[in-house]
Amino acid sequence: AEKIVCKVIGAAKNAKKAVKEDPRRIIHSLKVGLSITLVSLFYYFDFLYEGFGVSAMWAVMTVVLVFEFSVGATFGRGINRGIATLVGGASAVAAHRLASFAGDKECIILGLSVFFIASIATYIRLSPKLKARYDYGMLIFILTFCLITVSGYREDEVIEMAHKRLSTILIGGSVTFFICVFICPNWAGEDFHELIALNIEKLGIFLEGFGHEYFQTTKEKNQENKASLDGYKSVLTSELIEETLVNFAKWEPRHGKFRYRQPWDQYVKIGSLTRECAYRIDSLNGYINSDMQTPVEIRAKIQELCTKMSSECSYALKELSLGIKTMRCTLSADPHILKAKTAAKKLKSSLNIGLWPDTDLIDIIPVATVASLLIEIVSCTANIADSVHE
Amino acid sequence: AEKIVCKVIGAAKNAKKAVKEDPRRIIHSLKVGLSITLVSLFYYFDFLYEGFGVSAMWAVMTVVLVFEFSVGATFGRGINRGIATLVGGASAVAAHRLASFAGDKECIILGLSVFFIASIATYIRLSPKLKARYDYGMLIFILTFCLITVSGYREDEVIEMAHKRLSTILIGGSVTFFICVFICPNWAGEDFHELIALNIEKLGIFLEGFGHEYFQTTKEKNQENKASLDGYKSVLTSELIEETLVNFAKWEPRHGKFRYRQPWDQYVKIGSLTRECAYRIDSLNGYINSDMQTPVEIRAKIQELCTKMSSECSYALKELSLGIKTMRCTLSADPHILKAKTAAKKLKSSLNIGLWPDTDLIDIIPVATVASLLIEIVSCTANIADSVHE
């Protein structure tokens, strides 16, 4: 029994931690529960049940299947589902009308139409262009068409059935819509916007620590500092998340601070420039951990300029990130970029005249590579800034 | 009318092209159409209809919702759906029994249980660990539980309903299973296996062309050659596809040439090593197109060894790729890797003694970087080979 008590307490602690970490998930879950319960009232109250009967089931199904985490995703699924049901139902009714002329062969014609429509729609579903935004719609189209065509053969009430299904879906959809939008909404657009800003900030944090980490003379590496440097790694793999979010964000109506037309494509561009910069930073990070550490004296020659470049880029990126977060024009990043560019130019010219006499080339190469990577990062930063200003 | 004819002909041509390019999609679409038509026979034949009535609809739904492109994905969805329906149905029946003791307050208890179960299950759905493999199962659990709990309040036939639903889902599922597995199956495992081999081959193709492209003396770049060099780029972004495929592959039973336990995790490891190598190749590719082309004389100094390394790595990678494809042990790659390693060692020591006297450092850096990238690629290749041998 003690074990069980321990486990329950453990689970409660975990739950508490989860609530603190991401309250949005909890709220989302409660919202879904609330919507389903509201819709199921249709069954419990007799006067509501009279109108729809068993079809009220479709309202519950709509809520369960459409309610997604973000508003954009919910809208996307809802619109897909609505239109697909409409089109699927209409096609099914048309197929019935056509088949009814055939008399005896009605069921053969219906069977053939199910076969061909399902095959063609499945084929369209596989096309990568449509998959991202309309996959769910195609699925629901197939489902509605097949269900109505097939079961309609029995019931002879195709139109009434389609009508009932549509209105129950509308009820389920509007309950979902209201609860999704008016109770603590999760906007995919806001998440996307924050992700872009956060990613730029992460690069800034890396560059802030880089100078100190690479040019330190003591052997003992600071493990804590190390961990803070690894923050940028999530940027390398954020492409998929960004794509998903932007797809959802495009479904969302304007709202709040996003009142005006959001240039989502511009954000995508900033995101991919950020990632390009992150790839360079990844190479740079390789040199911090490299086995073949070059002697401190060699590194010292470029220490000042490199530290300068890295910290100026860091300031610039942080300013840009703040600018995106607050949605203000951020010219405050420009002087930092200018300083970083000047340092890069200086470094280039000093590399030119043989900075390290009497040193083996194999020792110089990694240091020189670090220098040229930093120079590239400066120009990446400038690109990001240009993109943000647009 | 002529326009329409033109369009129809155009569409027909497109369709023909599509069939040639990817016949598997067409076959898959026809398979889905066939399964749905088979299942809908339940409605057309009276003796079958008698047994199930309207519930036969669930069979059609199961086919539409479960039939996925690859066998693994279909199995995953099917198993998820089956178990979730079972668990959801059982919980709903339990909830009903409990509620029936409450007398008047039955509907309040049912409402509360719907609210809590839906909220908790939705919360679990959001956990990233479970999302990849069990998301669909959780969805169906919520759906089944809510539908049976809610509509059962009316029908007083909960158990019979659950039983009918299960048996129709079983019928739909088994039709899907047979058509998916026995008519031209698309195994995710096979696709994954081929993708890994193809990715390694792509790197090999790049390295084959690299030496010629980088060290050529004539200014005019061969555009065709250029295009063949870009093949590796898809490797950079294949992580997501690999993850999806391996998730599906894990659902698949052993079959054909995969009769023995497939070490999928090993494949994932090979895939990520390949991608690491591809990142280096991406940097290398940057130097082919670089603006600041270094003078030919400087490049010429390392031409022989670099070309050697690149072509030996290319042979080795191609051998490895072939080895994976045919699933044979591939020691034939080892001599190539050895040769590449020897060349790398020679290059390292020749870089050591000042290969370019009286040259500006800024001109040397890119060439030296190319050399060190190639050295890294050699060790990447060796890593891939080790991983493949395991």
Side-chain angles (χ1 to χ4, degrees):
Chain A
E2 246 177 58
K3 263 191 186 171
I4 296 173
V5 171
C6 274
K7 271 192 183 168
V8 169
I9 292 174
K13 270 184 191 165
N14 274 339
K16 205 177 167 189
K17 210 176 120 202
V19 173
K20 260 191 194 164
E21 267 173 15
D22 199 354
R24 299 201 303 167
R25 281 196 202 167
I26 306 277
I27 292 172
H28 168 73
S29 309
L30 294 177
K31 276 158 69 183
V32 173
L34 181 65
S35 319
I36 295 176
T37 316
L38 276 181
V39 166
S40 62
L41 289 180
F42 277 103
Y43 275 90
Y44 299 135
F45 293 116
D46 289 307
F47 65 94
L48 284 171
Y49 185 71
E50 298 297 305
F52 295 109
V54 191
S55 295
M57 172 177 88
W58 295 112
V60 177
M61 272 187 117
T62 305
V63 175
V64 176
L65 294 176
V66 164
F67 212 133
E68 291 275 323
F69 190 69
S70 67
V71 175
T74 308
F75 272 39
R77 276 180 94 92
I79 293 169
N80 263 314
R81 190 177 173 87
I83 293 178
T85 308
L86 214 64
V87 176
S91 327
V93 171
H96 258 276
R97 284 273 159 85
L98 276 176
S100 65
F101 291 122
D104 272 357
K105 288 168 191 157
E106 190 177 343
C107 76
I108 293 172
I109 288 185
L110 284 180
L112 281 178
S113 70
V114 165
F115 177 75
F116 282 112
I117 298 254
S119 299
I120 291 167
T122 307
Y123 183 73
I124 294 172
R125 267 186 85 191
L126 291 174
S127 113
K129 263 190 226 162
L130 295 170
K131 200 160 178 71
R133 296 196 75 184
Y134 304 109
D135 184 58
Y136 185 66
M138 294 306 296
L139 182 72
I140 294 297
F141 168 76
I142 302 176
L143 200 58
T144 312
F145 180 81
C146 294
L147 285 185
I148 294 190
T149 317
V150 166
S151 60
Y153 177 66
R154 282 282 149 194
E155 299 195 7
D156 289 330
E157 302 163 333
V158 186
I159 292 178
E160 206 201 316
M161 192 182 158
H163 167 251
K164 265 191 191 166
R165 198 179 165 188
L166 260 182
S167 45
T168 42
I169 284 179
L170 259 171
I171 291 168
S174 39
V175 168
T176 306
F177 170 82
F178 277 105
I179 292 194
C180 186
V181 174
F182 293 113
I183 304 182
C184 314
N186 300 309
W187 299 97
E190 256 167 45
D191 286 356
F192 182 51
H193 182 250
E194 258 162 40
L195 181 70
I196 296 287
L198 189 69
N199 278 351
I200 294 180
E201 197 188 345
K202 276 178 183 165
L203 301 191
I205 290 171
F206 176 89
L207 289 175
E208 189 186 19
F210 172 75
H212 178 257
E213 187 73 16
Y214 185 68
F215 292 109
Q216 68 190 343
T217 42
T218 51
K219 275 278 166 191
E220 35 181 318
K221 300 244 163 177
N222 190 339
Q223 283 301 322
E224 254 179 71
N225 198 358
K226 203 79 228 318
S228 86
L229 283 182
D230 279 352
Y232 78 92
K233 285 202 169 153
S234 65
V235 182
L236 296 173
T237 53
S238 70
E239 190 174 7
L240 173 74
I241 307 171
E242 281 173 27
E243 257 175 37
T244 317
L245 282 177
V246 81
N247 258 333
F248 293 159
K250 282 181 182 165
W251 286 110
E252 289 176 358
R254 299 166 201 180
H255 66 279
K257 58 177 175 175
F258 297 96
R259 196 162 297 139
Y260 309 103
R261 202 185 60 84
Q262 276 292 305
W264 295 123
D265 291 329
Q266 190 64 28
Y267 277 70
V268 172
K269 201 177 146 201
I270 296 174
S272 73
L273 286 172
T274 310
R275 210 164 8 266
E276 239 167 64
C277 191
Y279 284 135
R280 304 254 150 72
I281 283 181
D282 196 36
S283 316
L284 213 51
N285 193 36
Y287 286 97
I288 294 184
N289 311 315
S290 173
D291 300 331
M292 38 180 207
Q293 273 300 0
T294 40
V296 179
E297 314 85 65
I298 298 179
R299 277 184 275 157
K301 290 269 174 78
I302 55 164
Q303 174 162 11
E304 196 196 343
L305 286 171
C306 281
T307 313
K308 177 95 179 157
M309 276 157 63
S310 143
S311 62
E312 291 296 339
C313 279
S314 161
Y315 291 138
L317 287 171
K318 282 180 179 173
E319 288 288 341
L320 288 171
S321 163
L322 197 73
I324 293 179
K325 267 186 201 157
T326 55
M327 301 189 76
R328 291 223 188 83
C329 198
T330 48
L331 296 171
S332 56
D334 289 352
H336 294 298
I337 290 175
L338 222 85
K339 276 184 206 161
K341 273 186 180 163
T342 321
K345 217 175 269 172
K346 257 193 209 161
L347 185 63
K348 257 188 202 165
S349 61
S350 73
L351 280 177
N352 225 355
I353 47 164
L355 197 56
W356 298 276
D358 311 320
T359 319
D360 272 350
L361 199 51
I362 198 85
D363 279 340
I364 297 175
I365 288 170
V367 182
T369 313
V370 166
S372 62
L373 278 170
L374 274 170
I375 293 172
E376 279 176 30
I377 286 172
V378 171
S379 68
C380 279
T381 309
N383 284 341
I384 294 175
D386 288 346
S387 219
V388 173
H389 291 328
E390 263 171 30
Chain B
E2 246 177 60
K3 262 191 187 175
I4 295 172
V5 171
C6 272
K7 272 192 183 170
V8 169
I9 292 175
K13 269 185 192 165
N14 273 338
K16 206 176 166 189
K17 209 175 122 201
V19 174
K20 261 192 195 164
E21 267 173 17
D22 198 355
R24 299 201 303 166
R25 282 195 201 166
I26 306 278
I27 291 172
H28 169 73
S29 309
L30 294 177
K31 276 159 69 183
V32 174
L34 182 64
S35 318
I36 294 176
T37 316
L38 276 181
V39 165
S40 62
L41 289 180
F42 278 102
Y43 277 89
Y44 299 134
F45 292 116
D46 289 305
F47 64 95
L48 283 173
Y49 185 71
E50 300 294 307
F52 294 109
V54 190
S55 295
M57 173 177 88
W58 295 111
V60 177
M61 271 187 120
T62 304
V63 175
V64 176
L65 294 175
V66 164
F67 212 135
E68 292 275 321
F69 190 68
S70 67
V71 175
T74 308
F75 271 39
R77 276 180 94 93
I79 292 169
N80 264 312
R81 190 177 175 88
I83 293 178
T85 309
L86 214 62
V87 176
S91 327
V93 171
H96 258 275
R97 284 274 157 85
L98 276 176
S100 64
F101 292 122
D104 272 357
K105 288 167 188 159
E106 189 177 345
C107 75
I108 294 173
I109 288 186
L110 285 180
L112 282 177
S113 71
V114 164
F115 176 74
F116 282 111
I117 297 256
S119 299
I120 292 168
T122 308
Y123 183 73
I124 293 173
R125 268 185 85 192
L126 291 174
S127 116
K129 264 190 223 161
L130 296 169
K131 202 163 177 71
R133 297 195 75 185
Y134 304 110
D135 185 59
Y136 185 67
M138 295 305 296
L139 183 73
I140 294 297
F141 167 75
I142 302 176
L143 200 58
T144 313
F145 180 81
C146 295
L147 285 185
I148 294 189
T149 315
V150 166
S151 60
Y153 177 66
R154 282 282 147 195
E155 298 194 9
D156 290 329
E157 300 163 334
V158 185
I159 293 178
E160 206 200 316
M161 192 181 158
H163 166 251
K164 264 189 192 166
R165 199 180 164 188
L166 261 181
S167 46
T168 42
I169 284 179
L170 260 170
I171 292 169
S174 39
V175 169
T176 306
F177 170 83
F178 277 107
I179 292 193
C180 186
V181 174
F182 294 112
I183 303 182
C184 313
N186 299 309
W187 299 98
E190 254 167 45
D191 286 357
F192 182 51
H193 182 249
E194 258 162 41
L195 180 70
I196 295 288
L198 189 70
N199 278 351
I200 294 180
E201 197 188 345
K202 276 178 184 166
L203 301 191
I205 290 171
F206 175 90
L207 288 174
E208 189 184 21
F210 171 76
H212 178 256
E213 187 73 14
Y214 185 69
F215 293 107
Q216 67 189 342
T217 42
T218 49
K219 276 276 167 191
E220 35 180 319
K221 300 245 164 176
N222 189 339
Q223 284 302 323
E224 252 178 73
N225 198 358
K226 204 79 226 321
S228 86
L229 282 183
D230 279 352
Y232 78 91
K233 285 202 170 154
S234 65
V235 182
L236 296 175
T237 53
S238 70
E239 191 176 6
L240 173 73
I241 308 170
E242 281 173 27
E243 257 175 37
T244 317
L245 283 178
V246 80
N247 258 334
F248 292 159
K250 282 180 181 166
W251 287 111
E252 288 176 356
R254 300 167 200 178
H255 66 278
K257 59 177 172 173
F258 297 96
R259 197 161 299 138
Y260 309 104
R261 202 185 61 83
Q262 276 293 304
W264 294 123
D265 291 328
Q266 191 64 28
Y267 278 72
V268 172
K269 202 177 144 200
I270 296 174
S272 74
L273 286 173
T274 309
R275 209 161 14 263
E276 239 166 63
C277 191
Y279 284 135
R280 306 255 149 71
I281 283 182
D282 194 37
S283 315
L284 212 52
N285 192 36
Y287 286 96
I288 295 183
N289 311 315
S290 172
D291 300 332
M292 37 180 207
Q293 274 298 1
T294 40
V296 179
E297 313 86 66
I298 297 179
R299 277 184 276 155
K301 290 269 175 80
I302 55 164
Q303 172 161 11
E304 196 197 342
L305 285 171
C306 282
T307 313
K308 177 92 181 161
M309 276 155 66
S310 143
S311 62
E312 290 296 340
C313 279
S314 162
Y315 291 137
L317 288 170
K318 282 180 179 172
E319 287 289 341
L320 287 172
S321 163
L322 197 73
I324 293 179
K325 267 186 201 157
T326 55
M327 300 188 76
R328 291 226 187 82
C329 198
T330 48
L331 294 171
S332 56
D334 290 351
H336 294 298
I337 290 175
L338 223 84
K339 277 183 206 160
K341 274 186 179 164
T342 321
K345 218 175 266 173
K346 257 192 212 161
L347 185 63
K348 258 188 202 168
S349 59
S350 73
L351 280 177
N352 225 354
I353 47 165
L355 197 57
W356 301 277
D358 311 320
T359 318
D360 272 349
L361 199 51
I362 198 84
D363 278 341
I364 296 175
I365 288 171
V367 181
T369 313
V370 166
S372 62
L373 277 171
L374 274 172
I375 292 172
E376 280 176 31
I377 287 171
V378 171
S379 68
C380 279
T381 309
N383 284 341
I384 295 174
D386 286 346
S387 221
V388 172
H389 290 329
E390 265 172 30

